[in-house]
Amino acid sequence: MRLGVLDVGSNTVHLLVVDAHPGARPLPAHSHKVELRLSQLLDDSGAVGDDGVDRLIAVVHEALRAAEDKGVEELLPFATSAVREAGNADEVLARVREETGAELQVLSGEEEARLTFLAARRWYGWSAGKLLVIDIGGGSLEIAYGLDEEPDTAVSLPFGAGRLTAGWLPTDPPEADDVRALRRHVRTGIARTVGDFSRLGAPDHVVATSKTFKQLARLAGAARSAEGPYVQRELKRESLEAWVPRLAAMTTAERAELPGVSEARAGQLLAGALVAEGAMDLFGVERLEICPWALREGVILRRLDHMGRR
């Protein structure tokens, strides 16, 4: 059957269409995304304003039309941290449902981490052993660890690249004091979680997902996305540590000129790099591999598993 996932994230609203059936690898058929930056449309009270809700509804309508055009049989719509943490989340969900018919399922941070872990486990298989999976989104950071398809432990922290940029790096280029303050904030928060993971032993394989990690890996010399998902891509901590001060000295426009860095994500790349560097350092990771599958694929795989049990 042809399945669609509609991911309402902090940065983008992304429709991914795949051809899939239980026991088979989902094959991408169509991708439609709009940079909405919902996390930046919150008012002073933390609610999504009327204009933001109107824009979200318009983008969801557009995605639903695309899904219909591509023959999607079942759509799995969900939302992550931007909607989850909005002060008027219930009102936003109700308006989207009433005006588009889409019933957005709001995932908790832990659910995000677990579904992303499932996707990574299926991609690498059992031979990867104990997996540590790190994902940096626009609104949150997810970390999960385990030997099976369900992680032994999973956490979600409010360290998304978009959220941190908006809250901690107001100037362009950023002030050195602001960068240092953000670095301390991120590392203090991540450090509180390390003990929950280290007591389970060292991972056999460390992987990362998300656009942030893909762009950082590309800066460090990884293959371009055009070369396909089966090319191994990695990020070494040594390379990342060399790039962080360079990114901190650049303007958003200058970062957008770097290989693999999109104009839409250039502004938040430094914050993402600080999170990635902090996570790799505090977890003792010298290198990690970039996983092509992430949360959207995890949602699809979970749905296919349920279908297969019928």
Side-chain angles (χ1 to χ4, degrees), residues 144-274:
Y145 172 100
L147 182 62
D148 300 318
E149 291 198 335
E150 280 289 328
D152 295 315
T153 188
V155 299
S156 178
L157 302 172
F159 295 153
R163 176 203 296 263
L164 295 178
T165 300
W168 292 79
L169 302 176
T171 61
D172 185 23
E175 298 289 339
D177 287 346
D178 291 337
V179 175
R180 282 194 294 271
L182 176 55
R183 184 178 186 274
R184 286 194 299 270
H185 173 66
V186 165
R187 285 174 175 254
T188 299
I190 295 174
R192 294 192 188 107
T193 73
V194 171
D196 294 335
F197 291 85
S198 59
R199 64 182 175 78
L200 299 172
D204 298 309
H205 200 60
V206 182
V207 302
T209 67
S210 75
K211 191 71 170 179
T212 293
F213 271 113
K214 290 176 182 177
Q215 292 186 342
L216 292 172
R218 178 76 181 95
L219 288 181
R224 296 175 298 119
S225 58
E227 295 183 36
Y230 300 110
V231 176
Q232 182 174 322
R233 296 170 175 86
E234 69 173 29
L235 176 63
K236 295 180 180 178
R237 193 170 89 204
E238 180 182 18
S239 299
L240 180 57
E241 289 173 344
W243 266 103
V244 167
R246 294 175 63 183
L247 293 172
M250 293 179 179
T251 64
T252 295
E254 289 169 336
R255 289 186 214 127
E257 297 297 320
L258 295 171
V261 178
S262 65
E263 183 177 353
R265 302 288 183 119
Q268 63 186 46
L269 187 60
L270 172 59
L274 289 169

Side-chain angles (χ1 to χ4, degrees), residues 31-146:
S31 177
H32 173 90
K33 67 173 70 173
V34 176
E35 293 278 348
L36 182 61
R37 297 194 176 279
L38 191 59
S39 62
Q40 297 179 17
L41 299 177
L42 304 180
D43 60 25
D44 293 339
S45 68
V48 182
D50 289 340
D51 179 58
V53 180
D54 290 341
R55 288 167 64 183
L56 173 60
I57 288 170
V59 170
V60 170
H61 269 303
E62 184 180 330
L64 293 176
R65 285 193 296 271
E68 182 179 330
D69 289 345
K70 297 301 176 182
V72 169
E73 186 173 340
E74 181 178 351
L75 184 68
L76 309 171
F78 67 90
T80 56
S81 64
V83 173
R84 180 171 69 234
E85 297 168 14
N88 60 338
D90 290 341
E91 297 170 26
V92 173
L93 294 170
R95 276 200 60 193
V96 170
R97 181 176 59 251
E98 290 166 5
E99 299 191 33
T100 71
E103 185 88 39
L104 292 177
Q105 177 190 1
V106 179
L107 300 180
S108 70
E110 184 176 327
E111 285 175 320
E112 283 190 57
R114 290 181 175 278
L115 288 166
T116 302
F117 184 90
L118 172 63
R121 170 58 74 196
R122 293 284 177 90
W123 182 268
Y124 290 104
W126 300 112
S127 63
K130 291 178 286 187
L131 273 180
L132 176 65
V133 180
I134 307 171
D135 178 270
I136 302 172
S140 58
L141 162 70
E142 275 74 45
I143 308 171
Y145 172 100

